[in-house]
């Protein structure tokens, strides 16, 4: 009895018998297809990013036509679209808690391509980070939930009204409102606050993307799901959450450095996607304890790898420097862009207004 209990911690219960073998084999092939599509999609995205980076560098160095008029730049945009489409399709074949962490493939491939083709410096942290990310990816694929699930309109409706998801959704709405209040009203421009808003929206994006992708996959197989209202509800949620997610992410990129935004956003997005898969699609149901531990350990290794690769990336140096006002031939710059701290004109417009109000108040009190 003790041996059987101990064994249940390390091995999943067999989910097939002699009559279920064809269905399990068919699902396992679909599972592998989802993994391959996700990896290829992320690889295409990394190629796309490096093509766009090369186009920007070449344009800044040669002063050629704008990047958006370059055929090479549009090739990169097309590859990115194909890669994102592959990620979208992968959600219809494999669990969301597996597809989201595989985004680290894009970071690894981008670092390798930038060193090989853009001649960027290979650092020791890149090698270590790549090794950790590859090891984490292997653990993710090996110990991810291997459960068969047909995403139909009926299944999505049943999950959408479950008490687990409704509780999770309520907590998420409260946290989102609190963070939005701090960000907008209290002007708390901290990177964690902004990217937490992105992550909370990302969880809804993952849920809706998997639902839409799964129902399209079932429709292609012959079981039409596009006539159910839940399909269009999920499509609206997908578009809206993606739009607001991009909005907050762009704001984060404007306020903070990319070397901070990229790894933190990857960690937050992956964590929210895993939680969404666990709560909504119940992807960890029946999973052995060892599998759960090794899966989370693989996520941790991937997180560390991405942090090391993205940490202190060297800036791209262009051969066209900015013009210094003091270096214009035949001209002398006597004006100061920023006045001295002790000068009356130092500071923002609000500070100047307060200074004038103080002077007026002193004059009124003296009269």
């Amino acid at each position: 009895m003790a041996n059987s209990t101990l064994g249940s911690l390390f091995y999943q219960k067999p989910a097939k018998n002699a009559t279920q073998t064809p269905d399990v084999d068919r699902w396992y092939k679909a599972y592998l297809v989802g993994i391959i599509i996700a990896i290829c999609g992320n690889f295409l995205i990394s190629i796309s990013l490096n093509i766009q980076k090369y186009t920007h560098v070449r344009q800044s160095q040669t002063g050629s036509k704008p990047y958006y008029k370059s055929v090479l730049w549009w090739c990169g945009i097309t590859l990115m679209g194909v890669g994102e489409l592959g990620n979208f399709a992968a959600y219809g074949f494999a669990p969301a808690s597996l597809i989201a962490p595989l985004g680290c493939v894009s970071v690894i491939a981008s670092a390798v391509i930038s060193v090989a083709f853009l001649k960027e410096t290979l650092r020791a942290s890149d090698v270590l980070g790549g090794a950790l990310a590859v090891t984490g990816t292997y653990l993710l694929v090996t110990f991810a939930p291997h459960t068969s699930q047909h995403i139909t309109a009926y299944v999505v409706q049943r999950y959408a009204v479950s008490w687990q998801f409704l509780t999770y959704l309520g907590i998420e709405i409260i946290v989102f409102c609190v963070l939005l209040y701090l960000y907008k009203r209290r002007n708390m421009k901290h990177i964690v606050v902004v990217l937490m808003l992105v992550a909370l929206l990302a969880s809804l994006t993952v849920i809706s993307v998997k639902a839409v992708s799964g129902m399209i996959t079932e429709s292609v197989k012959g079981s039409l799901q596009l006539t159910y209202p839940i399909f269009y509800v999920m499509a609206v949620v997908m578009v809206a959450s993606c739009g607001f997610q991009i909005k907050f992410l762009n704001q984060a990129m404007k306020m903070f450095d990319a070397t901070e935004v990229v790894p933190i956003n990857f960690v937050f997005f992956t964590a929210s996607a895993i939680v969404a898969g666990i709560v909504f699609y119940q992807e960890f149901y029946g999973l052995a304890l060892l599998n759960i531990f090794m899966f989370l350990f693989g996520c941790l290794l991937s997180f560390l790898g991405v942090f090391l690769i993205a940490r202190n990336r060297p800036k791209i140096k262009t051969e066209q420097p900015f013009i210094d006002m003091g270096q214009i031939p035949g001209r002398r710059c006597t004006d100061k862009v920023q006045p001295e701290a002790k000068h009356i004109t130092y500071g923002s417009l609000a500070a100047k207004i307060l200074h004038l109000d103080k002077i007026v108040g002193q004059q009124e009190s003296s009269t």
Side-chain angles (χ1 to χ4, degrees):
M1 182 66 181
N3 291 335
S4 62
T5 304
L6 181 62
S8 64
L9 296 176
F10 290 88
Y11 300 98
Q12 298 185 68
K13 294 179 180 180
K16 63 179 182 178
N17 51 37
T19 60
Q20 294 176 325
T21 300
D23 291 336
V24 173
D25 292 340
R26 191 182 306 114
W27 171 84
Y28 190 70
K29 291 179 180 178
Y31 177 84
L32 291 178
V33 167
I35 294 175
I36 294 173
I37 291 176
I39 292 176
C40 293
N42 285 299
F43 184 71
L44 289 178
I45 291 173
S46 65
I47 295 177
S48 164
L49 293 174
N50 280 277
I51 288 177
Q52 294 177 63
K53 183 191 297 184
Y54 171 76
T55 306
H56 287 294
V57 172
R58 186 180 64 177
Q59 192 273 337
S60 65
Q61 291 178 349
T62 61
S64 59
K65 58 186 178 180
Y67 65 89
Y68 53 83
K69 292 184 179 180
S70 171
V71 176
L72 188 61
W73 186 81
W74 282 106
C75 290
I77 292 295
T78 303
L79 283 178
M80 177 173 285
V82 175
E84 293 293 354
L85 186 62
N87 279 335
F88 174 80
Y91 279 100
F93 294 95
S97 55
L98 172 62
I99 298 301
L102 287 179
C104 66
V105 173
S106 176
V107 180
I108 301 171
S110 181
V112 173
I113 293 173
S114 63
V115 170
F117 296 99
L118 298 183
K119 307 304 179 182
E120 292 188 2
T121 304
L122 179 64
R123 306 169 303 166
S125 60
D126 294 333
V127 178
L128 179 59
L132 289 176
V134 169
T135 305
T137 302
Y138 172 77
L139 294 178
L140 288 172
V141 174
T142 304
F143 296 97
H146 293 179
T147 55
S148 177
Q149 192 170 190
H150 296 282
I151 306 300
T152 62
Y154 172 76
V155 171
V156 174
Q157 289 176 350
R158 181 162 55 88
Y159 286 157
V161 296
S162 63
W163 69 267
Q164 298 97 326
F165 174 68
L166 293 178
T167 304
Y168 170 75
L169 183 62
I171 296 173
E172 182 173 284
I173 291 175
I174 294 173
V175 175
F176 184 85
C177 291
V178 171
L179 291 174
L180 190 62
Y181 172 78
L182 294 175
Y183 178 63
K184 293 291 186 180
R185 297 297 183 181
R186 295 295 182 179
N187 201 31
M188 188 178 291
K189 308 294 185 181
H190 196 277
I191 187 171
V192 174
V193 174
V194 183
L195 294 183
M196 275 294 293
L197 291 171
V198 176
L200 293 174
L201 291 169
S203 65
L204 295 179
T205 303
V206 169
I207 291 172
S208 56
V209 164
K210 184 170 178 61
V212 172
S213 179
M215 285 187 277
I216 291 177
T217 302
E218 292 297 323
S219 299
V220 171
K221 291 180 180 179
S223 178
L224 186 62
Q225 305 292 319
L226 307 185
T227 57
Y228 294 93
I230 190 65
F231 173 81
Y232 300 97
V233 171
M234 285 295 177
V236 171
V237 172
M238 178 182 67
V239 174
S241 60
C242 278
F244 285 105
Q245 185 180 338
I246 292 172
K247 174 185 176 181
F248 286 116
L249 189 58
N250 284 335
Q251 292 177 2
M253 293 295 289
K254 290 179 181 178
M255 293 186 292
F256 308 101
D257 193 81
T259 56
E260 296 177 307
V261 175
V262 171
I264 296 177
N265 181 63
F266 173 74
V267 172
F268 283 5
F269 172 82
T270 303
S272 65
I274 293 173
V275 172
I278 293 173
V279 174
F280 190 87
Y281 293 104
Q282 303 175 13
E283 292 177 346
F284 277 19
Y285 180 78
L287 198 64
L289 182 61
L290 177 64
N291 288 66
I292 296 175
F293 173 79
M294 294 303 293
F295 178 84
L296 296 178
F297 183 63
C299 289
L300 178 62
L301 292 181
S302 299
F303 294 162
L304 291 176
V306 170
F307 264 104
L308 289 174
I309 293 174
R311 173 176 167 268
N312 296 328
R313 295 295 299 177
K315 304 282 186 183
I316 298 177
K317 296 183 179 180
T318 62
E319 295 180 1
Q320 284 185 321
F322 292 104
I323 298 177
D324 187 356
M325 294 178 63
Q327 301 298 325
I328 300 177
R331 296 291 301 273
R332 293 183 62 188
C333 180
T334 58
D335 295 332
K336 294 180 180 179
V337 177
Q338 178 65 38
E340 297 293 338
K342 297 181 180 179
H343 197 272
I344 188 174
T345 59
Y346 177 79
S348 63
L349 178 61
K352 297 175 184 178
I353 294 175
L354 290 175
H355 180 74
L356 292 175
D357 289 341
K358 183 178 180 180
I359 296 175
V360 172
Q362 290 175 352
Q363 291 177 350
E364 291 179 351
S365 61
S366 61
T367 57

